[in-house]
Amino acid sequence: MSAEKSAAVVSQNQGNIAIVLMQNPPVNALSKAVRVGLISEIKAALLDPSIEAIVISSQQALFSGGADISEFSGNDFEPPLPEVLDLIENASKPIVAVLNGPAFGGGLEVALACHYRVTFSANKVGLPEVNLGILPGAGGTQRLPRLAGVETALSMIVSGKPVAASSVKGVFDVLVEDPQELLDKAMAFVQKLIVNGEKIRRTKDLNIDPASAPAELFAQYRQGIAKQARGFFSPERCIQAVEAAVELPLEEGLQRESELFMECMRSPQARAQQHFFFAERAAGHVADFDKATPVREIKKVGIIGAGTMGGGIAMNFANAGIPVVLLELKQEALDKGLAVIRGNYENSAKKGKLSPQDVEERMALLVGATDYQELADVDLVIEAVFEKMEVKKQVFSKLDEVCKAGAILASNTSTLDLNEIAACTSRPQDVIGLHFFSPANVMKLLEVVKGEKTSADVIKTCMQMAKKIRKVAVLVGVCFGFVGNRMIEPYGRESNRLLLEGASPEHVDKIIYDFGMPMGPFTMGDMAGLDIGYFVRQSRHEFISQDPSYCVVANRLVEDGRVGLKVGKGVYLYEPGNRKPIPDPKVLEVAKQEAQKLDIEQREHSEQEILERCIFPLINEGARILEEGIAAKSSDIDVIYVYGYGFPVYRGGPMQYADEIGLDKIYDAMCKYRDELGDYGKMWFEPAPLLKKLAEQGKRFVDYKN
Ligand code: T1G
């Protein structure tokens, strides 16, 4: 369908049918111009005596990605979307939504307010508002249950997940198999409505049979989502809105929906999740390259090391259909690594996530090798060998000999100096860090570490490659621990210091769990292995030696062989085959002994002190990282923490959380602990200069551009 380029909504008549088309790239967000345009084009069609029916469709690939989220932080909501939908629903002529592409949020709500809906079976539709900390606020919670039934509506609204149009029974009047036939079949359907003089079917006139939605349905649903909805504000309100659809006529139901929508919209969680929506996308916008920067083609990848990390990394590429050469120097280690990968795929197949054929196709993409020469033609090689600089240097010297010109040489190092690694090759411009998070085939975060000499096209290639392997890439600079692990260091230090000062591991873990982290620091340490932190501390002796109390209890436990879950004892004890942490009074005894040795008086701690001492130094380190330019913007740090460490998305990430509290409060608390915790406080609680500056200026991290 052709139409002029400027307006956000255009219309063209085909005989007695007006076709109203939204054209607001890139996603047909229902911005103000679209809402105004829809009203004016629909009113014109209603007044045109030659028009007997109206079609609403799109000039974009998407039907509509929903309300314009960037407008939420503003205050001009006129005309409100519900007003547009009232015009549609109460129109005197039949209005048919023709979904030529996905319809999400308000986009689907436009369709639900129409009298009829046509699309193709495989099309995707959804109400993802819950991911933004809100709920469908333009009738979705009232109309979808009337069309699709309460259970389907509950699931779509509370999960926020897109579904195939064919799976949403009762919503679409025509589902064509071939998208190419959509328009013709839609127009034939509309003509039939006209010829048959069909009475207009308004969604609002449809009732919900209360028997289809007994009270226990909602109770069961609440119970079913309790775990994944833990701490979130809007899922419960989504359920209440659907309950209103069952209990109230449409007008009152819409009023109730509007009240619940505003309750959510005003919450810090909505601000946090909407911040995060843009933060995740902004992570891909980097100043290190532009549209003109070329990209290298990645047709074949080499992975060095078939252990947990190497195997997980290899799976990411096989999952994306990219052939992998997996190198181990010993055949036995290689066989073991490939067997673990096969086992992972077969587990997925058992859960129905993969077909047996998928398993074989992916395994066929993974070719084992024990000779570096097999890497001669790869376009990208990622080493995931032991975290020791000497070992990394040997590997990169070898890669420099073997790999073809233009191959990208990447290290999966989590802490070592990438510049030092690059310096042992003749091509530092081709060297980059690709820091995957364990388990590498599951965790979405990828820290892309740019060295001093890494070239722009290598950076751009890796940032784009990340999307292909379904990772969220964040570009970071070189320092110890880059961004994620550098910030988790003070978090771990403080939790250990609190233990020394008399707090119990389970009390600290509960406070941090209730804050929204997936688990507390001690449970996390036991799961990862206390020996990992122990070796990292050994490699940073100069940094730690100033503080004799630094993780002394954890050190004692590791030296006593208590390295965590994998041996059945760490900070906690574990029954064989059971991950449930069991407090062990002996650990408190060790803490007491070490405290006495260090002349530290043990005491009670408030929940606020425990939370602030674990989270604020992490934020303070983030401020230093921003100041040093290791992260380009605070929202990048938020993306790293939500995707890499499970920081609750309803708090938006650590830097958004700080902005929400107010940097002055963070600054004051840092000064308080600096001044109240004696020498220890002076060592570790000095506020970062940037935190001080922004706090004094009343600004936020999100305002800072270095
Ligand atoms: N509003 C504003 N900008 C949006 C947007 C939206 N709804 N959706 C996408 N963008 C921007 C995005 O920031 C990016 O910008 C560009 O478009 C491409 O996005 C009343 C109140 C639709 C599946 O939650 O899920 O309706 O980075 O990279 O991969 O009940 O965008 O290029 O500058 O994601 O092809 C409900 C959100 C809104 C859907 C397309 N709707 N969007 O994915 O492109 S609330 C949503 C998405 C609502 C009503 C309520 C995805 C997409 P930039 P992209 P994509």
Side-chain angles (χ1 to χ4, degrees), residues 25-31 62 64-72 81-82 102 104-107 109 126-132 134-140 257 261 265 277-278 281-282 285 467:
V27 298
N28 258 356
L30 300 169
S31 316
L62 286 148
S64 168
D68 184 342
I69 305 166
S70 64
E71 289 182 348
F72 292 175
L81 185 57
F104 299 119
E109 290 175 303
L127 292 172
E129 289 86 340
V130 70
N131 300 327
L132 298 169
I134 50 180
L135 52 82
E257 176 193 84
F261 176 81
M265 191 58 110
F277 173 84
F278 290 113
R281 286 156 180 82
H285 304 167
K467 274 195 177 152

Side-chain angles (χ1 to χ4, degrees), residues 370-513:
T370 55
D371 179 349
Y372 268 90
Q373 286 307 327
E374 300 292 325
L375 301 177
D377 65 344
V378 300
D379 305 297
L380 162 70
V381 61
I382 305 170
E383 63 77 16
V385 298
F386 195 61
E387 190 74 354
K388 268 210 174 311
M389 184 55 87
E390 309 81 82
V391 178
K392 303 281 189 194
K393 284 184 174 178
Q394 284 164 8
V395 167
F396 273 79
S397 302
K398 192 74 182 158
L399 292 176
D400 200 18
E401 281 170 36
V402 164
C403 292
K404 67 183 182 185
I408 295 174
L409 312 182
S411 169
N412 176 54
T413 181
S414 53
T415 56
L416 300 177
D417 183 341
L418 185 83
N419 295 322
E420 195 178 333
I421 294 172
C424 76
T425 72
S426 63
R427 40 179 141 175
Q429 72 283 0
D430 294 338
V431 175
I432 195 165
L434 294 178
H435 178 214
F436 290 83
F437 282 68
S438 186
N441 52 310
V442 173
M443 298 295 281
K444 285 190 76 167
L445 177 66
L446 177 63
E447 279 184 325
V448 177
V449 188
K450 61 179 178 181
E452 279 156 12
K453 296 183 176 155
T454 306
S455 66
D457 67 316
V458 168
I459 296 171
K460 184 172 183 178
T461 302
C462 290
M463 293 297 282
Q464 291 193 356
M465 176 275 296
K467 274 195 177 152
K468 285 196 194 105
I469 60 171
R470 302 169 66 80
K471 297 295 178 189
V472 176
V474 182
L475 186 62
V476 300
V478 175
C479 66
F480 188 89
F482 313 130
V483 173
N485 286 345
R486 175 169 160 184
M487 289 170 65
I488 208 72
E489 182 68 31
Y491 169 84
R493 180 200 70 228
E494 275 313 295
S495 54
N496 276 277
R497 173 73 189 202
L498 286 160
L499 181 57
L500 194 61
E501 292 180 11
S504 71
E506 55 273 26
H507 188 209
V508 173
D509 275 357
K510 181 175 184 321
I511 289 165
I512 298 297
Y513 177 78

Side-chain angles (χ1 to χ4, degrees), residues 324-368:
V324 173
V325 175
L326 184 59
L327 180 82
E328 270 284 356
L329 296 184
K330 292 196 179 63
Q331 187 64 43
E332 185 194 344
L334 179 61
D335 295 344
K336 182 167 177 276
L338 286 167
V340 167
I341 293 172
R342 175 174 284 279
N344 288 340
Y345 281 138
E346 284 170 354
N347 279 339
S348 297
K350 279 190 200 116
K351 294 174 193 161
K353 291 181 184 168
L354 288 180
S355 69
Q357 188 194 336
D358 293 330
V359 173
E360 296 314 320
E361 282 171 4
R362 292 183 193 192
M363 288 308 297
L365 287 168
L366 295 165
V367 174

Side-chain angles (χ1 to χ4, degrees), residues 295-306:
V295 168
R296 298 184 193 180
E297 200 178 0
I298 305 290
K299 288 181 295 191
K300 188 174 180 183
V301 173
I303 309 283
I304 303 178

